[in-house]
Amino acid sequence: MSDTILIIGACGQIGTELTQKLRDVYGKENVIASDIREGSEEMMTSGPFEILDATDKPGILKIVQKYKVTQVYLMAAMLSATGEKFPHKAWELNMTSLLGVLDLAKEKHIKQVYWPSSIASFGPTSPKINTPQQTVMEPTTVYGISKLAGEHWCNYYHEKYGVDVRSIRYPGIISWKTKPGGGTTDYAVDIYFQATEKKTYECFLTENTRLPMMYMQDAVNATIQIMQADVADIKTRTSYNLAAISFTPKEIAAAIRKYIPEFEISYKEDFRQAIADSWPQVIDDSKAREDWGWAHKFDLDLMTKDMLENLG
Ligand code: SER
């Protein structure tokens, strides 16, 4: 039997592009997009769409039964910066949605679950360079706490109930179609928009703040790849480290200047600096590469060229 997929949070930054790619791969009728509100015209017309609150387990079950869904990609979440403003809401959204979907898998309504974790699950006591798959994890943001707890819920449901849940610790994701909202790595998206519109950007992180990042195309490919991998190859059931590139605001500005020589960057740090300072700078993702063949394609220059071509 072929897969029928439900994406929860389909109108977000990653959900938007993941939905289109899954529709290409699995056929548009087999990929049901859902979100708390309607999305772009492309989202609404390229396949089935349902309004759905990620924390409404009975509502999710109804859609699962209506379309005979076999896989759920749970992409709804409150990110790091917004989470610091609304800690309880972040916890409620990020945890209730995950536990609801894991329960649906435990109760055999669905066969497979994808749930993203993040570099935010690490903290200031984790090694910053080549952060290993398994190491000290003491996150200091509510978002990070929810991701680390979520990883262990995933592992628990796999160990206790045999739930096939798969997860990746995303770095900052860069894209031009849909902007992220409320994250700390968002500067690396905004900078491209402002570079093309205004030729200048004021960065909320300092010039040498190095963070792990990835272009959207790589992130979407990794997500589908881990879900399609042979079950025997998935040896980590908390969440896999995943990496592509690491750069600083100064380095991304220099990459942009190769195409827009007059581009200027200035720096005015805000509360997000402390969040960035608590995260790794370079991630060791050798386990993902060994276990299920992960390989990234985009480096900083290739990504910059593609971003500016699409925004220009
Ligand atoms: N991009 C996320 C954030 O900045 C990290 O996973 O919150």
Side-chain angles (χ1 to χ4, degrees), residues 41-63:
E41 202 185 322
E42 186 186 25
M43 175 67 65
M44 305 306 293
T45 55
S46 62
F49 184 91
E50 298 277 347
I51 295 287
L52 180 62
D53 174 348
T55 61
D56 175 14
K57 187 188 163 197
I60 302 173
L61 178 58
K62 246 172 135 176
I63 292 170

Side-chain angles (χ1 to χ4, degrees), residues 213-262:
M213 301 277 184
M214 179 177 291
Y215 200 37
M216 179 62 84
Q217 213 166 299
D218 277 334
V220 165
N221 287 342
T223 305
I224 297 175
Q225 198 182 341
I226 193 176
M227 286 296 273
Q228 290 182 338
D230 198 294
V231 70
D233 291 336
I234 305 299
K235 297 177 183 126
T236 293
R237 292 293 183 162
T238 48
S239 189
Y240 275 96
N241 278 9
L242 194 79
I245 34 182
S246 283
F247 54 77
T248 65
K250 197 174 168 182
E251 288 165 356
I252 192 175
I256 290 172
R257 237 175 262 125
K258 285 185 196 161
Y259 299 91
I260 308 175
E262 66 273 36

Side-chain angles (χ1 to χ4, degrees), residues 13 79-81 117-120 143 170-173 182-186 279:
Q13 187 203 11
L79 297 188
S80 60
S117 184
S118 160
I119 53 166
Y143 175 66
Y170 288 133
I173 307 294
T184 301
T185 57
D186 295 9
W279 289 350

Side-chain angles (χ1 to χ4, degrees), residues 68-83:
K68 299 193 170 46
V69 167
T70 57
Q71 291 185 356
V72 171
Y73 286 68
L74 174 55
M75 308 307 288
M78 192 184 287
L79 297 188
S80 60
T82 311

Side-chain angles (χ1 to χ4, degrees), residues 8-118:
I8 300 175
C11 298
Q13 187 203 11
I14 301 173
T16 301
E17 297 198 41
L18 181 64
T19 301
Q20 296 314 323
K21 185 69 190 263
L22 287 169
R23 284 179 170 165
D24 291 345
V25 174
Y26 289 88
K28 59 182 167 62
E29 289 310 315
N30 299 318
V31 178
I32 295 88
S34 74
D35 208 303
I36 193 114
R37 61 184 72 84
E38 290 193 353
S40 66
E41 202 185 322
E42 186 186 25
M43 175 67 65
M44 305 306 293
T45 55
S46 62
F49 184 91
E50 298 277 347
I51 295 287
L52 180 62
D53 174 348
T55 61
D56 175 14
K57 187 188 163 197
I60 302 173
L61 178 58
K62 246 172 135 176
I63 292 170
V64 163
Q65 289 173 333
K66 178 175 166 187
Y67 293 95
K68 299 193 170 46
V69 167
T70 57
Q71 291 185 356
V72 171
Y73 286 68
L74 174 55
M75 308 307 288
M78 192 184 287
L79 297 188
S80 60
T82 311
E84 292 308 287
K85 290 182 184 153
F86 308 103
H88 285 233
K89 267 195 188 164
W91 180 259
E92 163 68 11
L93 171 60
N94 297 355
M95 287 293 97
T96 308
S97 58
L98 175 60
L99 289 173
V101 170
L102 288 176
D103 273 338
L104 291 177
K106 175 189 163 195
E107 293 155 12
K108 310 274 184 234
H109 296 292
I110 49 177
K111 289 188 181 143
Q112 230 189 350
V113 176
Y114 177 79
W115 178 80
S117 184
S118 160

Side-chain angles (χ1 to χ4, degrees), residues 180-199:
T184 301
T185 57
D186 295 9
Y187 93 84
V189 177
D190 287 335
I191 195 169
Y192 287 110
F193 279 80
Q194 304 279 326
T196 46
E197 284 162 22
K198 299 187 194 153
K199 320 278 181 231

Side-chain angles (χ1 to χ4, degrees), residues 4 18 53 74 88 95 100 116 148 154 161 167-168 170 186 201-202 204 217 222 260 263 270 276 280 297:
T4 304
L18 181 64
D53 174 348
L74 174 55
H88 285 233
M95 287 293 97
L148 184 57
C154 290
Y161 312 121
S167 178
I168 284 170
Y170 288 133
D186 295 9
Y201 179 67
E202 186 179 272
F204 56 76
Q217 213 166 299
I260 308 175
F263 175 63
D270 69 12
K297 291 200 185 82

